[in-house]
Amino acid sequence: MTDPLILVNPATGTFELTDLRSAQLPVTDLSAHRGDGIFETVLVSVGAHGATVVSRERHFTRFRASASALDLPDPDQGLWDRVIDSLIAEVAAADPENVEFGIRYALPRGEQDANGALRGRGWAFPVPVDDHIRTAREQGVTAVSLDRGFDAYIGSKAPWLLIGAKTLSYAVNQAAGRYAAANDADEALFVSHDGIVLEGPTANLIIRRGDHLLTPNPEAGLLSGTTQRLIFDHAEELGLSAEYADLSLDDVKAADGAWYVSSMRTAVALRELDGNAISVDQTLTDRFQEIIRGR
Ligand code: PLP
């Protein structure tokens, strides 16, 4: 099977392998109409010692936190681990040369039956590391800053905004990406209404200032990234400190290096922001990519 899809029944703790190309999601599922559900995308790196799911545990911890934020049932880690491992085995059997790919897994709200009870099936399928990602890794990206429309640190006062949960509602993020493209940039950089730098639509930002790695505080209103935390966990061996900070756009422009980091991209240099060139630190870009990809 070249395009495997696994459908997961959380109620029974079972799953089945099927074909990504055939119709699977009932249109009545609330994830389809409301974006009401959660997901994760993990990078799988295949080396001499087999396949590694990068930051597997960090992703699942966030998946559980997202489920809790949305009042979804607590996902069963054993079940989802079996799903991910089965999918890896399918990809490896179909294409033994495939040494790097992603797996996207999701838990939707489901559909409401006649009695109002909710039931739904989760899913998982492989996603390729495509040319777009490869080009960004090699050449870096440009970005334009965009107002996110809320003040920093609003999340604790407004938990219904689900800031910090990885939900299936990405229409705003997609729109920001299109807006960036229409303005000749590869990426958007969200900034809070009161001027604090937050994140990209699908990535976190890290900058280097001297011996310090700095990244926006997740509490300011963004998704706490697994890749950012992986890099921070390795900062000491790179001879750097790692800190959360409130950054302005000028801080980013004046940085000694800046990166968009996320599971599939790994770490890509942010080389221009709002038309201003940013220093590119190629050595650290390479180190970050090696650390994330485990090679
Ligand atoms: N921020 C947003 C909004 C994202 O969608 C993502 C990833 O998809 C990230 C940050 C980076 O998170 P991670 O490193 O866990 O992939």
Side-chain angles (χ1 to χ4, degrees):
M1 181 177 303
T2 47
D3 292 313
L5 166 71
I6 290 184
L7 291 173
V8 186
N9 189 334
T12 57
T14 56
F15 60 92
E16 65 178 284
L17 177 66
T18 176
D19 184 350
L20 186 59
R21 301 293 146 208
S22 58
Q24 302 294 348
L25 183 72
V27 294
T28 43
D29 190 299
L30 288 167
S31 66
H33 284 278
R34 310 279 191 207
D36 197 353
I38 57 169
F39 78 106
E40 287 292 327
T41 308
V42 294
L43 183 69
V44 180
S45 183
V46 184
H49 302 292
T52 305
V53 179
V54 178
S55 288
R56 183 182 203 137
E57 199 64 35
R58 288 187 187 87
H59 279 282
F60 200 79
T61 301
R62 189 172 64 191
F63 196 53
R64 291 187 69 186
S66 298
S68 168
L70 270 71
D71 295 322
L72 287 167
D74 189 29
D76 172 351
Q77 184 159 11
L79 172 64
W80 286 95
D81 273 345
R82 289 195 297 281
V83 167
I84 290 167
D85 291 338
S86 302
L87 210 46
I88 291 172
E90 283 300 316
V91 174
D95 181 6
E97 305 295 307
N98 193 345
V99 294
E100 196 178 42
F101 55 93
I103 289 180
R104 187 158 290 153
Y105 59 93
L107 179 65
R109 176 78 56 192
E111 52 183 341
Q112 225 150 14
D113 68 17
N115 303 318
L118 287 161
R119 59 192 152 75
R121 287 195 297 182
W123 60 83
F125 60 92
V127 285
V129 173
D130 59 19
D131 287 346
H132 185 74
I133 293 172
R134 278 186 235 282
T135 304
R137 285 178 181 175
E138 283 164 20
Q139 299 178 9
V141 292
T142 62
V144 284
S145 58
L146 301 183
D147 187 340
R148 186 67 180 86
F150 54 69
D151 285 344
Y153 296 98
I154 198 174
S156 57
K157 285 176 271 175
W160 55 88
L161 293 179
L162 298 176
I163 293 168
K166 195 165 168 67
T167 76
L168 291 167
S169 310
Y170 263 57
V172 168
N173 308 47
Q174 297 287 94
R178 287 193 300 276
Y179 188 91
N183 286 274
D184 298 323
D186 301 314
E187 291 284 351
L189 179 63
F190 284 134
V191 181
S192 70
H193 194 56
D194 49 355
I196 305 285
V197 171
L198 299 173
E199 63 182 340
T202 60
N204 293 108
L205 175 82
I206 295 178
I207 68 168
R208 180 175 73 77
R209 185 192 288 154
D211 294 339
H212 308 281
L213 292 181
L214 303 170
T215 198
N217 187 339
E219 300 294 315
L222 54 121
L223 190 72
S224 179
T226 62
T227 316
Q228 172 263 307
R229 282 179 280 137
L230 174 64
I231 289 172
F232 270 33
D233 284 352
H234 285 81
E236 211 177 298
E237 72 195 55
L238 297 167
L240 300 166
S241 74
E243 295 153 42
Y244 293 98
D246 287 345
L247 301 174
S248 66
L249 286 171
D250 284 343
D251 289 330
V252 181
K253 290 174 200 161
D256 298 314
W259 296 267
Y260 268 41
V261 302
S262 71
S263 301
M264 293 293 284
R265 293 180 179 77
T266 65
V268 308
L270 172 63
R271 53 182 164 75
E272 190 184 297
L273 175 58
D274 294 333
N276 302 274
I278 301 175
S279 300
V280 172
D281 182 339
Q282 191 59 46
T283 308
L284 208 45
T285 305
D286 294 343
R287 287 295 288 122
F288 285 166
Q289 291 188 3
E290 283 163 15
I291 287 167
I292 299 161
R293 298 163 80 195
R295 5 200 109 146

